[in-house]
Amino acid sequence: MKSNSKQDLSLDLKTLPCHVGIIMDGNGRWAKKRLMNRVKGHEKGTQTVRSIVTACTELGIGILTLYAFSTENWARPKHEVKALMMLLKKFIVSEREEFLTNNIRVNVIGQKHKLPLDVQAEVNTTMDMTRSNDRLLLNLALSYGSREEITNAVTQIVEKIASNELDVRDITQDLISDHLYTRSMPDPDLIIRTSGEYRLSNFLLWQAAYSEIYISNTLWPDFSKEEFIEILKNFQARDRRFGKVKCNTSNGG
Ligand code: IPE
Ligand code: IPE
Ligand code: MG
């Protein structure tokens, strides 16, 4: 029987993506469909975060980067921004036990200094408490925007050149990567976006150069561990060529 894809097979735990990024989109539409306030969608979305973080620890995925709040999201109505910050604070505090029990390290990428001071304080506490954990690195992208990240990297590099710490000839792709919020992390192998939009919305633009992209029509609050596993299987069935030509012994290539 001709197998049309590896998706018929079970998940291979040895070839999981090292780094998964998720653009968690669709909370507002989930709430709207139920004639509820958008904030209810964000609340429900937090439960999905919990289940996907647990799934990643169980499966053995090393890095999960969750796009939780973009630099552009500050332009949303004040009450929605306030509710999102409150939910974030609640999450970062209520999950501490879970992070410690499951050996999860929490890190923030983005303009942490722009978050309300009380949120910053709780985020810092959770980051400090989980600093030595090494099962899953949970990167929360908060007030994150890729263009801001790259602009910030350019500024840092130029300052180092101006103070003779670096020379113009030192500028390489690795040097630029080392000045991003994701320094010392591998690029995401897989980026998932929920709610059916075909765009990156300023998420990991530099790092996504060779990421596999998967768009799910599911709204984030409805996203499940089962669908996540199906997406991982889909990822495993893909042929990542990185611009090269695959060797094929039959044609001498
Ligand atoms: C994603 O859901 C959460 C954030 C961007 C903070 P949205 O709030 O964007 O939901 P939709 O896209 O309006 O449905
Ligand atoms: C992307 O979703 C940002 C996050 C998921 C945090 P948005 O809802 O903000 O993106 P657009 O506006 O649809 O591009
Ligand atoms: Mg959205």
Side-chain angles (χ1 to χ4, degrees), residues 25-26 29 76:
D25 197 17
R29 276 162 283 171
R76 290 192 178 196

Side-chain angles (χ1 to χ4, degrees), residues 12 26 31 121 124 127 142 152 156 158 173 192 194 199 210:
D12 178 1
N124 286 335
M127 281 174 63
L142 301 174
N152 181 46
Q156 285 181 54
V158 170
Q173 294 186 19
I192 300 169
T194 58
R199 54 178 174 262
Y210 269 99

